[in-house]
């Protein structure tokens, strides 16, 4: 069993001892405000914080060392979203169930104090140091410049909220001073154009955050954890310089914080900070630089490293290397509440590793829904989606071992059913094995590993790989229930899509192109600009897409060892810890753009922006990626013909154009694989009455792994 001595080491803060070094970092779930949490229909418990308490209880039971809640706003101007009003003193008794649940499981919990400033989407107006609208404002409001009296009142609001947290039983607070929220807005010249005592010089710009920190300490006394999140890297123009970051961290340590957490990138930054394409532990260098500086000044405050750490080996390495004193991750505790318990019990290969997709966590939140996890639909829905032990174990067949089938099989087996999983291929994972070939999605392999490890070793599972189930076999085996998860495949090449495509060998569907890129020429038309079309454009422009062998080698290399320096170069992130005075403000340099491997034109029939339907939190990255790779986008087209060399299409005005290409790749949708279901329906067997079709073989419109797994989970918890 691998030793995880560093992450399992307790941290003694003098007045409190944390049981290990792994922090569940803050993630807004949508359950922080009674208006959302109380809107649940799943619980008869009228306490509006009951869902939040249950959510954190599971993570504390799973042995997280320290938990930080999603943000609570200190004042009405600081409502993050509409209706998420500030905590009322009258609600403290109700809120107490949250820290109580965590304490009952042996954990500790901080409330995050968050004032969004110009990022506020609730209330009638937002406020900021200067009246400069955020480029990502949903309300398109120019913020009101805060008066000195409002600043002082806001300091009091923070202090009052911290005192309320203390009275409700929290072990401390995290003051959110990064990610471009209000306190960070005061620190950076980017958003602070004031000329009074709160603007101009560095000393003036950090005045308000430090006043907040001192007021919170004074309101709560010495034996209360204060973590302050310092923005180590703003990644916006006119952000803090490295020297300013170091100076602020020193002041935060001296003015009463117990722990410094790392903040990486403002929400409006156009550099990926948490998406799958960010290398694992890809920003730890920023924490290391600050920690090294503080230690050189004799300041021993613990520092927390953050962002894209999702596996215990990586966490251990960060601490082993002395880059940080603690490690924080939020989303990996959504995908697996029992992450740390599995580490402690030698089951780390059974961790359901977060792949950084954001599809059900951040994308849900940005769409006004309660957060969850694509890989674990129970996250933040612990009661209504609970997988309870069955009282009547059944014999259940699962036909197909893709994301929907594999997930359902684990849930059914965990509940006590006896499951036989049939997979026609030699490996589990279905379309994830295609997805992992896309640059930046190499980590999809970790889900394949999780499904494989969990099912191979599960006492309630018989795993039949390389076995194509037939309806007759299944009927003969006498299963009580049958889950059909046979997935989907690309639409057949059809003249209805593009006249000519059936005749020419240089027309490929997306599976053919991903598996055999050596057949695809250098000038390519990609037809269809949905998620698969975007993935294909990124794939074909990558230098690794020369052949199947180079794709596989790159996938494996990147999965096992990613390179932060390549990533930094590509996105123009400047690191100059040794020469802090020379660091460009905000840590931004000029990105290094390399010529694309292929010349790709990405077509779509609809008018409007390419990628408009991609995930809210990651769509901008994909749009930027294809722009950096010089992909030409053409929309509003009608496809006319292809003669093996020339693609003819009409634009929105009906004018015809001809494009010479070497290959065409079709990303025009998928068809459900109904072969098994059809056979079961046609035969004289009783299989049909027991069939439950889930995922791609059930529907393809708006199909994605999130919906497929959610649907299969719904079936698996009902049987
Ligand atoms: Fe991680 Fe994706 Fe789950 Fe979010 S939805 S927690 S990013 S796996």
């Amino acid at each position: 069993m691998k030793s995880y001595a560093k992450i399992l080491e307790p941290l003694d803060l003098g007045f409190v001892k944390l049981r290990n070094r792994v922090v569940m970092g803050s993630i807004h779930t949508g359950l922080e405000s009674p208006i959302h949490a109380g809107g649940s229909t799943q619980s008869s418990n009228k306490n509006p914080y009951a869902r939040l308490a249950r959510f954190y209880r599971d993570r504390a039971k799973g042995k997280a060392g320290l938990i930080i809640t999603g943000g609570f706003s200190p004042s009405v101007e600081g409502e993050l979203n509409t209706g998420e009003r500030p905590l009322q003193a009258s609600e403290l008794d109700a809120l107490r169930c949250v820290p109580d649940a965590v304490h009952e499981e042996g954990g500790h919990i901080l409330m995050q104090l968050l004032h969004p400033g110009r990022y506020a989407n609730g209330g009638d107006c937002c406020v900021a140091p200067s009246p400069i609208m955020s480029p990502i404002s949903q309300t398109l409001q120019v913020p009101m410049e805060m008066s000195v009296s409002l600043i002082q009142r806001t300091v009091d609001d923070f202090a009052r909220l911290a005192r309320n947290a203390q009275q409700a039983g929290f072990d401390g607070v995290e003051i959110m001073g990064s990610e471009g929220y209000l306190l960070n807005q005061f620190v950076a010249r980017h958003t602070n154009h004031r000329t009074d005592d709160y603007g101009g010089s560095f000393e003036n710009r950090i005045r308000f955050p430090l006043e907040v920190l001192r007021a919170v300490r004074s309101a709560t006394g010495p034996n209360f954890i204060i973590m302050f999140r310092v923005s180590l890297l703003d990644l916006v123009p006119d952000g803090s310089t490295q020297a300013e970051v170091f100076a602020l961290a020193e002041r935060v340590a001296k003015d009463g914080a117990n722990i410094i957490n790392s903040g990486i990138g403002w929400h409006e930054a156009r550099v990926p900070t948490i998406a799958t394409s960010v290398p694992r532990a890809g920003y730890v260098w920023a924490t290391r630089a600050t920690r090294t500086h503080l230690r050189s000044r004799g300041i021993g405050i613990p520092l927390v490293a953050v962002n894209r750490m999702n596996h215990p080996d990586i966490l251990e390495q960060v601490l082993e290397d002395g880059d940080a004193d603690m490690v924080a991750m939020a989303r990996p505790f959504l995908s697996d509440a029992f992450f740390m318990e599995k580490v402690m019990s030698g089951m780390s290969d059974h961790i359901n590793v977060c792949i950084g997709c954001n599809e059900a966590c951040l994308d849900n939140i940005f769409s006004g829904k309660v957060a969850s996890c694509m890989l674990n639909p129970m996250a933040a829905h612990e009661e209504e989606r609970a997988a309870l032990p069955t009282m009547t174990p059944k014999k259940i067949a699962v036909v197909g071992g893709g994301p929907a089938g594999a997930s359902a099989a684990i849930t059914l087996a965990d509940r006590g059913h006896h499951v036989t999983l049939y997979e026609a291929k030699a490996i589990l994972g279905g379309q994830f094995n295609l997805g992992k070939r896309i640059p930046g999605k190499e980590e999809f392999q970790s889900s394949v590993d999780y499904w494989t490890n969990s099912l191979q070793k599960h006492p309630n599972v018989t795993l039949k790989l390389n076995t194509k189930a037939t309806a007759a076999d299944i009927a003969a085996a006498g299963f009580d229930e049958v889950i059909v998860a046979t997935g989907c495949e690309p639409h057949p090449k059809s003249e209805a899509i593009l006249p000519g495509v059936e005749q020419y060998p240089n027309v490929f569907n997306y599976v053919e192109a991903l598996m055999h890129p050596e057949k695809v020429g250098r000038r390519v038309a990609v037809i269809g600009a949905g998620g698969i079309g975007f993935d294909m454009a990124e794939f074909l422009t990558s230098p690794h897409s020369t052949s199947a062998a180079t794709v596989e080698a790159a996938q494996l290399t990147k999965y096992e060892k990613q390179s932060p320096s390549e990533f930094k170069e590509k996105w123009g992130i400047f690191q100059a810890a040794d020469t802090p005075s020379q660091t460009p403000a905000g840590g931004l340099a000029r990105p290094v753009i390399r010529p694309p491997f292929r010349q790709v034109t990405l077509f779509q029939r609809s008018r409007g922006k390419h990628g408009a339907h991609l995930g809210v939190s990651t769509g901008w990255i994909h749009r930027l990626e294809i722009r950096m790779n010089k992909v030409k986008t053409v929309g509003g087209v009608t496809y006319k013909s292809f003669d093996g060399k020339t693609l003819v299409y009409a634009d929105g005005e009906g004018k015809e154009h001809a494009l010479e290409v070497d290959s065409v790749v079709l990303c025009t949708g998928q068809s459900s694989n109904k072969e098994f279901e059809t056979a079961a329906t046609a035969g004289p067997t009783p299989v049909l009455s027991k069939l439950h079709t889930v995922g791609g073989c059930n529907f393809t419109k708006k199909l994605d792994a999130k919906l497929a797994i959610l649907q299969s989970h719904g079936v698996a918890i009902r049987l």
Side-chain angles (χ1 to χ4, degrees):
M1 176 180 155
K2 187 173 163 62
S3 162
Y4 292 107
K6 290 286 182 189
I7 55 174
L8 294 177
E9 189 185 343
L11 179 69
D12 193 346
L13 292 173
F15 58 93
V16 64
K17 193 187 260 191
L18 306 177
R19 60 183 165 186
N20 61 52
R21 302 294 179 110
V22 180
V23 180
M24 179 184 176
S26 173
I27 184 164
H28 205 70
T29 60
L31 300 175
E32 290 75 12
S33 170
I35 199 156
H36 291 299
S40 162
T41 55
Q42 45 80 39
S43 176
S44 56
N45 190 332
K46 294 294 181 220
N47 185 332
Y49 293 105
R51 279 184 80 181
L52 195 62
R54 175 63 202 277
F55 172 71
Y56 287 125
R57 177 185 290 280
D58 275 10
R59 274 77 200 163
K61 205 175 188 173
K63 304 285 190 284
L66 175 66
I67 289 171
I68 308 171
T69 67
F72 284 71
S73 60
S75 62
V76 283
E77 303 86 19
E79 285 179 26
L80 189 58
N81 296 304
T82 306
E84 294 188 358
R85 57 181 170 70
L87 182 69
Q88 308 294 307
S90 59
E91 290 163 353
L92 297 188
D93 282 345
L95 181 62
R96 187 175 295 279
C97 67
V98 174
D100 281 356
V102 171
H103 294 154
E104 280 161 23
E105 303 298 342
H108 292 90
I109 183 165
L110 312 183
M111 175 192 283
Q112 188 188 66
L113 316 183
L114 183 151
H115 192 309
R118 71 181 195 152
Y119 284 168
N121 289 314
D124 296 330
C125 77
C126 59
V127 298
S130 302
I132 307 165
M133 190 172 73
S134 155
I136 56 169
S137 168
Q138 291 174 18
T139 55
L140 299 180
Q141 283 183 36
V142 176
M144 187 183 83
E145 178 172 311
M146 289 175 79
S147 64
V148 171
S149 64
L150 181 56
I151 290 172
Q152 283 160 0
R153 200 206 78 203
T154 306
V155 170
D156 294 342
D157 290 335
F158 270 98
R160 187 176 53 253
L161 180 56
R163 201 163 44 241
N164 283 342
Q166 189 176 37
Q167 281 171 10
F170 285 85
D171 302 291
V173 292
E174 178 184 60
I175 300 173
M176 175 41 115
S178 64
E179 307 336 80
Y181 290 119
L182 182 67
L183 303 189
N184 204 176
Q185 289 161 25
F186 268 84
V187 175
R189 287 185 195 83
H190 183 61
T191 38
N192 186 342
H193 293 185
R194 302 174 74 99
T195 52
D196 62 3
D197 287 350
Y198 291 92
S201 67
F202 174 67
E203 195 60 34
N204 281 354
R205 284 181 279 118
I206 64 171
R207 187 182 307 281
F208 172 53
L210 293 180
E211 283 178 353
V212 167
L213 170 58
R214 289 193 294 268
V216 167
R217 175 56 77 204
S218 148
T220 55
N223 297 333
F224 189 66
I225 303 171
I226 299 180
M227 182 185 282
F228 194 102
R229 196 160 182 191
V230 175
S231 183
L232 303 188
L233 201 56
D234 293 329
L235 300 177
V236 292
D238 282 333
S240 295
T241 63
Q242 182 83 89
E244 288 175 339
V245 169
F246 288 168
L248 177 58
E250 271 188 56
R251 296 290 296 273
V252 163
K254 286 178 181 157
D255 282 7
N258 304 100
I259 304 173
I260 290 179
N261 196 1
S262 305
I264 305 290
W266 289 30
H267 287 311
E268 69 200 60
R270 293 298 89 172
V271 176
T273 54
I274 60 168
T276 318
S277 55
V278 178
R280 278 163 284 180
Y283 286 103
V284 161
W285 54 270
T287 308
R288 177 173 57 238
T290 309
R291 187 174 184 271
T292 304
H293 172 81
L294 292 178
R295 296 297 181 267
S296 74
R297 298 297 187 102
I299 300 169
I301 189 169
L303 273 88
V304 187
V306 297
N307 286 40
R308 286 291 285 126
M309 287 181 284
N310 56 359
H311 192 280
D313 290 1
I314 292 156
L315 307 180
E316 184 71 10
Q317 194 64 51
V318 169
L319 297 192
E320 180 85 44
D321 292 346
D323 293 339
D325 305 278
M326 305 180 82
V327 279
M329 49 186 199
R331 296 169 300 166
F333 279 109
L334 294 190
S335 58
D336 201 327
F338 297 92
F339 187 105
M340 286 305 291
E341 189 181 70
K342 290 177 182 177
V343 170
M344 292 167 75
S345 58
M347 302 278 286
S348 58
D349 62 349
H350 281 55
I351 292 172
N352 196 358
V353 174
C354 165
I355 55 172
C357 65
N358 291 348
E359 290 194 16
C361 49
L362 298 192
D363 284 353
N364 272 19
I365 284 295
F366 292 150
S367 315
K369 298 178 195 154
V370 171
S372 191
C373 171
M374 175 177 85
L375 300 173
N376 173 24
M378 285 187 287
H381 298 74
E382 278 71 19
E383 288 187 21
E384 78 265 38
R385 296 179 186 164
L388 302 174
T390 181
M391 304 303 284
T392 52
K394 292 179 178 176
K395 197 176 157 191
I396 300 177
V398 177
V399 181
S407 304
I410 294 171
T411 304
L412 289 164
D414 284 348
R415 293 185 56 218
H417 292 302
H418 302 287
V419 179
T420 302
L421 174 64
Y422 298 84
E423 168 54 49
K425 294 202 169 78
I427 52 172
L428 296 171
Q431 303 239 1
F432 269 42
N433 293 304
L434 296 175
K436 73 186 185 190
R437 300 172 87 89
I438 309 295
K441 293 191 173 177
E442 294 83 5
E443 273 197 63
F444 280 37
Q445 178 64 40
S446 57
S447 298
V448 178
D449 292 345
Y450 162 71
W451 293 320
T452 307
N453 294 336
S454 302
L455 290 166
Q456 265 173 349
K457 295 178 189 163
H458 205 298
N460 292 346
V461 174
T462 303
L463 183 58
K464 289 180 179 275
L465 298 175
N466 294 308
T467 308
K468 186 167 181 179
T470 67
D473 293 340
I474 298 294
F479 287 104
D480 299 312
E481 310 281 353
V482 180
I483 293 188
V484 185
T486 47
C488 55
E489 44 205 39
H491 276 326
K493 291 166 199 165
S494 159
E495 297 287 309
I497 298 169
L498 172 59
V501 293
E502 287 181 3
Q503 304 168 40
Y504 297 101
N506 55 346
V507 178
F508 306 96
N509 65 40
Y510 62 87
V511 176
E512 292 166 338
L514 282 171
M515 299 307 289
H516 297 289
E518 65 278 4
K519 295 182 180 172
V520 182
R522 290 299 189 100
R523 298 172 304 163
V524 190
V526 174
I527 307 289
I532 294 175
F534 264 78
D535 278 351
M536 184 53 62
E538 288 179 39
F539 174 77
L540 291 174
T541 48
S542 158
H544 301 305
S545 65
T546 320
S547 68
T550 54
V551 170
E552 276 148 31
Q555 191 276 320
L556 204 60
T557 310
K558 287 201 173 173
Y559 178 51
E560 288 174 352
K561 190 164 178 43
Q562 295 163 314
S563 163
S565 53
E566 193 186 317
F567 176 80
K568 280 192 261 184
E569 195 182 76
K570 174 175 171 181
W571 290 97
I573 303 165
F574 193 88
Q575 178 188 356
D578 297 335
T579 52
S581 58
Q582 292 169 21
T583 314
L588 286 172
R590 190 182 291 279
V592 176
I593 312 267
R594 303 202 184 282
F597 183 66
R598 291 186 182 81
Q599 213 179 308
V600 172
T601 307
L602 180 60
F603 287 96
Q604 69 178 20
R605 279 193 300 212
S606 58
R607 293 168 187 257
K609 186 165 76 172
H610 272 56
H613 301 296
L614 299 178
V616 189
S617 61
T618 52
W620 64 271
I621 302 175
H622 297 299
R623 285 190 289 272
L624 259 179
E625 289 266 11
I626 66 163
R627 201 181 311 153
M628 286 158 80
N629 288 327
K630 301 197 167 29
V631 172
K632 189 175 170 203
T633 54
V634 184
V637 302
T638 308
Y639 306 112
K640 294 292 185 185
S641 65
F642 180 61
D643 65 2
K645 286 192 299 202
T646 307
L647 172 72
V648 179
Y649 64 93
D651 63 21
E653 277 68 54
K655 186 173 170 212
E656 291 204 354
H657 304 262
L659 181 71
E660 297 287 311
V661 293
D662 302 313
S663 306
V664 171
V665 178
L666 301 175
C667 301
T668 47
Q670 300 156 307
S671 311
S672 294
N673 186 342
K674 294 277 186 192
E675 186 185 340
F676 178 89
E677 190 184 350
T678 305
T681 312
T685 68
V687 175
L688 180 61
S689 63
K690 306 168 186 174
L691 284 189
H692 310 270
T693 58
V694 296
C697 68
N698 179 261
F699 69 103
T700 55
K701 194 166 181 205
K702 300 203 169 162
L703 172 70
D704 58 21
K706 175 172 79 170
L707 289 178
I709 293 173
L710 181 62
Q711 188 192 35
S712 76
H713 180 80
V715 172
I717 60 174
R718 282 199 306 275
L719 294 181

